[in-house]
Amino acid sequence: MDATFTIPYRELARLITVALPSVGTEPMLPVYMQVRLREAHGKIIAEATDRYTLMRVRGESEVPAGLSFGLPATTWRKVLAMFKPPRALVLDAAVTFELSGESVTIAPAQPKLMPDAPSGASFATTGSGWTDFDGMGLMGGLSKDPAGSAGITPSYLRRVPLGDGNCAVVANGPNKPAYILGEDWMLLIMARRDVDTAGRIKSWAVSE
């Protein structure tokens, strides 16, 4: 789709930084090596998945209805570095996204607030990549009281944003998906099995 929207740099950095740890790392599955921005209920959200976890981060900026595109994780890191404003200007700096076909052009909304940034940079988008799941509604609809018990493989907790102490785990019981909920993010951990070369189950992402 063709669309234009502007977002504060600080908000964009928050969305991408929280989502990046959940990006897939398997080169044979490049569709999972992206962070995707899309519209949900009129606001921007970022999401990333490696098939076993799904991170969804909610922003405050309004974006066009139906917005949905992705960029590889490596590209997002480059974008954040290219358009990073001086510390004294970070609260006011913003970037503009202009989507056209299968590409997006990113530029400073006010160039004087990003003196070291390029006037614009274009990148090929990756499209949506996976089925939409309106999990952000769960952030307001799920109770933050535990609904069951489950053990979570510790490596998956690396996706939880550091410094976000106000979060809760909503577990649905052994071998079922679990949610970790923050104020503006939701991490869904799928129930899955790790199988060794002999086909024996080694562990569950969400287990007893």
Side-chain angles (χ1 to χ4, degrees):
M1 65 175 294
D2 293 350
T4 301
F5 67 95
T6 298
I7 180 172
Y9 176 87
R10 191 176 185 181
E11 180 180 346
L12 176 67
R14 166 73 177 176
L15 292 172
I16 301 303
T17 301
V18 173
L20 278 174
S22 292
V23 168
T25 58
E26 300 178 46
M28 296 297 291
L29 296 171
V31 68
Y32 300 114
M33 298 178 70
Q34 62 170 307
V35 174
R36 174 183 168 201
L37 296 184
R38 74 177 184 90
E39 175 267 339
H41 307 289
K43 299 292 182 70
I44 192 169
I45 65 170
E47 59 186 11
T49 182
D50 60 359
R51 295 182 298 157
Y52 309 121
T53 63
L54 172 67
M55 175 61 83
R56 180 87 29 95
V57 197
R58 179 182 59 209
E60 295 299 325
S61 293
E62 296 183 357
V63 292
L67 178 78
S68 180
F69 74 97
L71 291 174
T74 53
T75 300
W76 280 120
R77 292 187 181 97
K78 184 184 300 183
V79 167
L80 293 183
M82 291 171 64
F83 293 95
K84 185 176 182 179
R87 184 183 296 271
L89 302 176
V90 71
L91 292 179
D92 299 316
V95 288
T96 296
F97 287 74
E98 184 175 350
L99 287 139
S100 179
E102 298 180 353
S103 68
V104 60
T105 299
I106 307 171
Q110 294 177 286
K112 66 180 181 180
L113 299 181
M114 294 181 173
D116 299 324
S119 59
S122 296
F123 305 94
T125 61
T126 56
S128 57
W130 53 79
T131 302
D132 286 345
F133 169 66
D134 188 20
M136 295 311 289
L138 292 171
M139 296 177 70
L142 277 181
S143 168
K144 289 193 175 183
D145 295 325
S149 61
I152 298 173
T153 302
S155 62
Y156 287 87
L157 298 180
R158 295 173 188 162
R159 288 137 167 96
V160 175
L162 293 176
D164 283 19
N166 187 18
C167 60
V169 176
V170 178
N172 297 309
N175 304 332
K176 294 182 179 179
Y179 298 90
I180 302 178
L181 303 175
E183 291 300 319
D184 63 350
W185 56 266
M186 176 190 73
L187 177 64
L188 169 64
I189 303 178
M190 325 292 190
R192 74 164 180 116
R193 295 178 293 180
D194 286 331
V195 181
D196 62 20
T197 55
R200 295 185 294 265
I201 296 174
K202 294 190 295 183
S203 66
W204 289 84
V206 178
S207 62
E208 296 186 28

